[in-house]
Amino acid sequence: MMFRPKKEPFLLRLRSCCLLAVYLLATGNAALRAQSQPPLPNIVYILADDLGYGDIQCYNAQAQVRTPHIDGLAAQGMRFSDAHTTSSVCTPSRYSILTGRYPWRSRLPVGVLRGYSRTLIEAGLPTVAMLLKTKAYHTGVVGKWHLGLDWVLKEAFGDSVSPAFNRDQLYGITSEMNPDQIDFTKAPVRGPRTQGFDYSFILPASLDMPPYCYLENDRLTEGLTAYTPGNKPDTGYTGAFWRAGLQSPSFDFYKVLPIFTGKAVHFIRERSRSGQPFFLYFPMPAPHTPWMPERAHRGRSGAGDYGDYIQEVDAMVGRILAVLDSTGLAQNTLVVFTSDNGPYWRGNFVKKYNHRAAGPYRGMKGDAFEGGHRVPFIVRYPARVRPGTVSKATITLASLMATCADLTGAHDPAFETEDSYSIAPVLLGQSDTVAVQPAIVNISSKGFYDIRKGPWKLIAGLGSGGFSIPSIIKETAGLPAGQLYNLETDIGEIQNVYERYPQKVKELSALLEQIKAAPTGKRFR
């Protein structure tokens, strides 16, 4: 007898067909959604060191330097005209970039670390690198670290950093450890690798601070067996100045910037073969002192060694952009170019070279005035950011954490910090302002807070609060208690209207205190 399959009832066949249709529709919609979701962007954050607002030609047409690669980056992306660091000196602003917090929330509210200082980023505090690793990013840092390292002490000095021993801060709780007590054969126990970076190749601090060496993945690449007596100590922290101290025998000050750029290029090229999104933090050591451009760049600008060094910075930016192009990564890579604070460029240099490194703004590095903390800020992201645009949105360098969260969808509450506000809506053309940001706050090198809301800026003190003279003016009869400027009508901060607008002073003072009082780990509301 021939076997005949039993016929399915009509309703059962209809139900199966409906389920199949629903499945195909659902998977088809999921596929369409997947196709409509942009891939995770690679992120390259280039941080210049002591570069001013007026040092780039696209910000200052009268600049005595040529910056074709950085200008080209701006033409291909968005240039911000109202971007600010959170401190007028470098260590604190770097803290804000990586943690999304104002630096005065750390143990170092004022000042900078040195090469033997212990790490500033608190144990367990989330960083941008940690955030991106939750989305499977490969993370790297190449360049000037300047956020401290927990060097290992020799056994005989193991208690020298304990709070009980170190009541006078002798060896580095907030200043420096004694290099004679450090065991340089061992890797620091805290540094970039414990703060979210898969790969690191760094200089411990500024290029004018010992030790002069490289650490790769938190280990010295060469022993600290040489010593330099320092150079040009009488130049007033300009020119080819560096301090005395330990160094690796083959360390060459002229080669540091090209070596870092080569490592950054290699990192990008290697990651291009992996198919995995990556984050590269590239904090350059230049044009901070020592101003030591390579021979190919010397005498090429109209602003002396400083201008020549800026033109070398521009050439190194060009190398980064070139490798993104050659590897096919440029379209889906977000490139940020900015500076950690304003320029160290004194008035005599302005006159000598006819070069205004801070552009139209008053002051320089260290100051509460705009020249201390208003910096170039350029973003190129061809896949999503319209080229040739200029934004007047007021932003800070603390924005990176929240912006990365928005662009990657990494919205874990553990990475919400007090002071990071996303600029993604501005980048994507959805908003002209950072709408939820209540104000921005900066702190000068000598502890002057300034707060900015709209066109109004309040400085809590008299003087520059930094390197410009007079730095601090003591309150005396007949003088106001602080400074208030309307930057819309007084971009040069010339007319102090503190006493003319007492209600505005009261409003901004109260807002500053509210922001300062925001509880740890909680956003200001």
Side-chain angles (χ1 to χ4, degrees), residues 342-353:
Y344 191 80
W345 192 247
R346 301 194 300 257
N348 59 310
F349 291 132
V350 175
K351 292 178 183 177
K352 180 177 180 179
Y353 296 107

Side-chain angles (χ1 to χ4, degrees), residues 25-366:
L25 183 62
T27 54
N29 285 342
L32 287 173
R33 283 196 301 272
Q35 290 174 10
S36 66
Q37 291 291 327
L40 293 175
N42 304 305
I43 301 168
V44 176
Y45 197 101
I46 306 172
L47 184 70
D49 193 3
D50 286 11
L51 183 78
Y53 187 96
D55 284 329
I56 306 300
Q57 284 203 323
C58 63
Y59 282 91
N60 176 14
Q62 285 73 49
Q64 299 299 309
V65 293
R66 295 182 299 277
T67 51
H69 297 103
I70 299 170
D71 297 339
L73 187 72
Q76 296 162 7
M78 180 177 287
R79 175 169 65 87
F80 286 77
S81 62
D82 201 2
H84 300 260
T85 61
T86 57
S87 168
S88 299
V89 288
C90 51
T91 295
S93 59
R94 291 158 195 269
Y95 175 89
S96 292
I97 291 168
L98 292 185
T99 68
R101 306 178 79 215
Y102 283 131
W104 34 266
R105 301 194 194 280
S106 76
R107 67 169 168 82
L108 189 73
V110 176
V112 301
L113 300 180
R114 296 288 184 92
Y116 303 115
S117 298
R118 296 175 71 76
T119 187
L120 180 61
I121 297 176
E122 297 85 347
L125 188 70
T127 66
V128 172
M130 293 175 183
L131 167 81
L132 292 171
K133 283 175 71 67
T134 68
K135 301 298 284 188
Y137 274 72
H138 186 86
T139 58
V141 53
V142 173
K144 168 184 166 178
W145 181 239
H146 213 175
L147 283 165
L149 297 165
D150 281 9
W151 297 99
V152 175
L153 289 161
K154 296 173 183 176
E155 189 173 349
F157 302 102
D159 64 348
S160 67
V161 293
S162 71
F165 179 90
N166 199 31
R167 283 172 294 184
D168 297 323
Q169 299 179 354
L170 295 176
Y171 300 126
I173 295 300
T174 61
S175 55
E176 289 199 278
M177 299 171 69
N178 184 340
D180 293 337
Q181 299 182 350
I182 295 173
D183 184 350
F184 291 111
T185 67
K186 296 179 180 177
V189 294
R190 291 190 64 220
R193 296 273 286 176
T194 60
Q195 289 156 8
F197 289 99
D198 297 309
Y199 174 76
S200 65
F201 186 89
I202 64 165
L203 177 75
S206 291
L207 191 51
D208 59 11
M209 296 177 178
Y212 304 110
C213 60
Y214 301 110
L215 289 93
E216 188 164 29
N217 293 330
D218 290 356
R219 285 193 172 274
L220 285 168
T221 61
E222 188 179 18
L224 290 168
T225 56
Y227 183 87
T228 172
N231 196 53
K232 296 188 179 297
D234 58 346
T235 58
Y237 308 106
T238 63
F241 161 79
W242 69 81
R243 296 167 177 84
L246 296 175
Q247 71 173 64
S248 297
S250 66
F251 192 87
D252 183 340
F253 289 87
Y254 286 103
K255 297 293 184 183
V256 174
L257 180 56
I259 284 173
F260 279 144
T261 306
K263 289 287 185 179
V265 166
H266 180 74
F267 178 89
I268 292 170
R269 189 171 285 120
E270 287 294 301
R271 301 321 306 167
S272 71
R273 301 185 182 109
S274 72
Q276 179 185 10
F278 66 84
F279 168 53
L280 173 62
Y281 172 48
F282 182 33
M284 293 179 164
H288 192 291
T289 50
W291 298 341
M292 297 181 68
E294 281 196 296
R295 186 178 301 277
H297 300 280
R298 287 179 223 164
R300 297 299 181 90
S301 78
D305 290 340
Y306 174 75
D308 297 347
Y309 212 11
I310 290 171
Q311 293 191 175
E312 184 171 356
V313 165
D314 182 76
M316 299 303 107
V317 171
R319 288 183 59 187
I320 298 296
L321 301 180
V323 73
L324 290 172
D325 287 338
S326 66
T327 54
L329 296 176
Q331 181 70 11
N332 193 47
T333 298
L334 182 145
V335 177
V336 177
F337 176 84
T338 187
S339 178
D340 62 348
N341 47 249
Y344 191 80
W345 192 247
R346 301 194 300 257
N348 59 310
F349 291 132
V350 175
K351 292 178 183 177
K352 180 177 180 179
Y353 296 107
N354 191 31
H355 175 69
R356 298 184 63 86
Y361 300 107
R362 183 179 180 182
M364 63 177 179
K365 174 181 177 176

Side-chain angles (χ1 to χ4, degrees), residues 297-513:
H297 300 280
R298 287 179 223 164
R300 297 299 181 90
S301 78
D305 290 340
Y306 174 75
D308 297 347
Y309 212 11
I310 290 171
Q311 293 191 175
E312 184 171 356
V313 165
D314 182 76
M316 299 303 107
V317 171
R319 288 183 59 187
I320 298 296
L321 301 180
V323 73
L324 290 172
D325 287 338
S326 66
T327 54
L329 296 176
Q331 181 70 11
N332 193 47
T333 298
L334 182 145
V335 177
V336 177
F337 176 84
T338 187
S339 178
D340 62 348
N341 47 249
Y344 191 80
W345 192 247
R346 301 194 300 257
N348 59 310
F349 291 132
V350 175
K351 292 178 183 177
K352 180 177 180 179
Y353 296 107
N354 191 31
H355 175 69
R356 298 184 63 86
Y361 300 107
R362 183 179 180 182
M364 63 177 179
K365 174 181 177 176
D367 294 353
F369 298 130
E370 291 292 285
H373 53 83
R374 190 183 289 228
V375 291
F377 192 95
I378 298 167
V379 180
R380 187 188 77 174
Y381 183 10
R384 304 190 70 186
V385 174
R386 191 159 60 90
T389 52
V390 178
S391 173
K392 296 180 180 180
T394 305
I395 66 170
T396 78
L397 300 194
S399 64
L400 184 61
M401 180 82 85
T403 303
C404 286
D406 268 2
L407 293 176
T408 65
H411 288 295
D412 186 330
F415 294 94
E416 285 193 9
T417 64
E418 301 97 320
D419 310 306
S420 190
Y421 294 89
S422 175
I423 65 170
V426 178
L427 294 175
L428 303 181
Q430 299 164 356
S431 176
D432 293 331
T433 63
V434 183
V436 296
Q437 179 177 260
I440 67 167
V441 178
N442 184 75
I443 189 166
S444 75
S445 64
K446 296 191 176 177
F448 278 23
Y449 286 93
D450 64 83
I451 181 169
R452 167 84 181 285
K453 183 178 181 183
W456 293 99
K457 175 180 175 181
L458 175 72
I459 301 176
L462 292 176
S464 72
F467 300 152
S468 294
I469 297 173
S471 176
I472 299 175
I473 301 173
K474 293 183 179 179
E475 290 185 44
T476 58
L479 289 178
Q483 302 172 72
L484 180 71
Y485 300 103
N486 185 326
L487 297 182
E488 188 172 356
T489 58
D490 181 21
I491 198 172
E493 296 172 280
I494 304 300
Q495 299 296 322
N496 182 5
V497 294
Y498 187 95
E499 294 181 319
R500 195 184 307 172
Y501 296 98
Q503 281 303 117
K504 183 58 67 175
V505 169
K506 183 178 179 181
E507 172 197 336
L508 292 177
S509 297
L511 182 56
L512 175 60
E513 292 307 311

Side-chain angles (χ1 to χ4, degrees), residues 1-5:
M1 175 184 287
M2 184 181 293
F3 173 77
R4 296 181 184 276

